[in-house]
Amino acid sequence: MSTLARPPIRRFVTDIDHLPAARVFVGLAIPGLVLIAAGRTDLLIYAVFGSFTGMYGFAESPRQRLIHQSEAAVMLVGAVGAGILLARLHASPAVLVSAVAAFAAVASPITDRLGLRPEGPFFGIFAFGAIAMVAGTQPDPLLALVICACTAVLCVAVGWFESTSRERRAGACVLRTTIPPHRTGRVSFVQAGRYALAVSISGGIGLLLGVGHANWAMAGAAVPLAAATSRDRITRGLHRVVGTFIGLAVTAPLLIPGPSPEMLALAIIALLYPTELFMARHYAVALGFFTPLIMAMTELAEPTDPLTMLTDRAVDTVIGVAVGIAVALLIREPAADSVPTFETPVCEALHTGGMADDNQWYYCIKHHKAEQGKTCWYGDRMGPYPDQATAEQALEIARARNKAADDAEDD
């Protein structure tokens, strides 16, 4: 039976790895529920940005994930701290735009060099601008930063626990190799310049038009730049616009009735799960959940008129995406420098199953046997393999690859 012929609910359960979404959800749910119980929902936005740490290191080995999530945590907490500082200094909007553009220019080559995934400094740019817009009214800025940092540390710990547990179950199937930089040399510096230019122009246009929350325009401008080709950048930008408008349609009935802060906070926590679930599979669908999450947490941090905020978000998104696409198309990348090729450290149990033919062979680490077709959950399958005999040797194949990788590191 083909993948398309199976019931949609079964495909949803078996073809999508829910663990990354669950991992990110747990990283926000724990501090989020504590803040709700303490009556400090105004601090939830800081926990949300800390929880984005859990989005990094998908399908990487435990050690690589630990490194990448720790690096992402430093970027996110640093961006939140910079935003709080700017807000407490009562920096002008022009200074804010300049500061976020400078942050983008510095963070872009660093994230390229580190090989962080999701690629680029988008979440850092987003955190910096958003916090700078709302932290001026926060009575406990130090506590806010501590909450962000503690949430990030929690997400790193949850990621480490989940990855080591899965590796033990899978017989160490995750390949322990090094992820290459996304860009190096001139290519990386040109990309940094594009980020700085796109953020500056989009933020400047937002200010000139008098649209509130210029940070949304700056974040929107950064979205298309992370894509690899011109066509992908245009597609990514269009997804951003369409997904945001879908999300605004969801946000309106959520905010306009004026729900209690506790209800909004619970909605924010719940919305993070489907956001992460679809982020890599369909960006526009993910934004249908991500947009109301962002709008709701902004409302909790700095209450304002919902209709004004919805309008600002729509206008800023269009401005940002248009500028981001224009900059990406007008400033072309130079020829890439020579970069050593490394094997991608993606565990077979995590990524390949959802893209393979349903009649191929897999090894189920839960049932400890070879199985034909996607009969078991996505996260329990290794493969696909060309035949049953090869699938039965899945653990030995993985161990041999790991030993070869370890021997190469020793050399």
Side-chain angles (χ1 to χ4, degrees), residues 7 43 46 120-121 134 159 183 211 265 274 282 301 366 382:
L43 292 169
Y46 301 92
V134 302
R183 299 173 184 84
V211 181
H282 201 298
K366 179 180 180 180
M382 296 176 66

Side-chain angles (χ1 to χ4, degrees), residues 54-121:
M55 294 184 176
Y56 290 82
F58 174 71
E60 294 179 357
S61 67
R63 179 176 178 274
Q64 193 71 70
R65 177 185 289 176
L66 177 64
I67 293 172
H68 279 168
Q69 288 193 340
S70 298
E71 293 164 344
V74 171
M75 177 184 70
L76 290 167
V77 176
V80 168
I84 291 174
L85 177 61
L86 230 60
R88 305 308 289 188
L89 293 175
H90 303 289
S92 67
V95 171
L96 167 61
V97 172
S98 300
V100 175
F103 175 87
V106 172
S108 176
I110 293 175
T111 56
D112 277 344
R113 190 67 188 176
L114 297 176
L116 293 184
R117 291 181 173 83
E119 183 180 338

Side-chain angles (χ1 to χ4, degrees), residues 146-172:
V146 169
I147 287 172
C148 177
C150 289
T151 303
V153 171
L154 172 64
C155 289
V156 172
V158 171
W160 171 259
F161 174 79
E162 185 269 326
S163 61
T164 53
S165 299
R166 179 175 289 194
E167 187 180 47
R168 286 193 296 270
R169 291 175 59 211

Side-chain angles (χ1 to χ4, degrees), residues 184-229:
T184 59
R186 293 179 302 153
V187 178
S188 182
F189 283 110
V190 168
Q191 179 74 342
R194 289 198 293 195
Y195 271 110
L197 184 61
V199 167
S200 299
I201 294 175
S202 59
I205 293 175
L207 295 181
L208 289 174
L209 294 179
V211 181
H213 292 278
N215 59 294
W216 290 332
M218 294 187 285
V223 169
L225 299 178
T229 66

Side-chain angles (χ1 to χ4, degrees), residues 288-309:
F289 300 101
F290 191 52
T291 300
L293 183 159
I294 297 305
M295 303 293 282
M297 76 178 190
T298 304
E299 175 68 13
L300 287 178
E302 191 178 50
T304 187
D305 176 50
L307 288 176
T308 301
M309 189 165 57

Side-chain angles (χ1 to χ4, degrees), residues 245-272:
F245 277 74
I246 293 173
L248 291 176
V250 176
T251 305
L254 177 64
L255 292 185
I256 292 176
S260 67
E262 293 76 17
M263 291 301 297
L264 273 184
L266 289 172
I268 290 167
I269 296 171
L271 286 166
L272 186 60

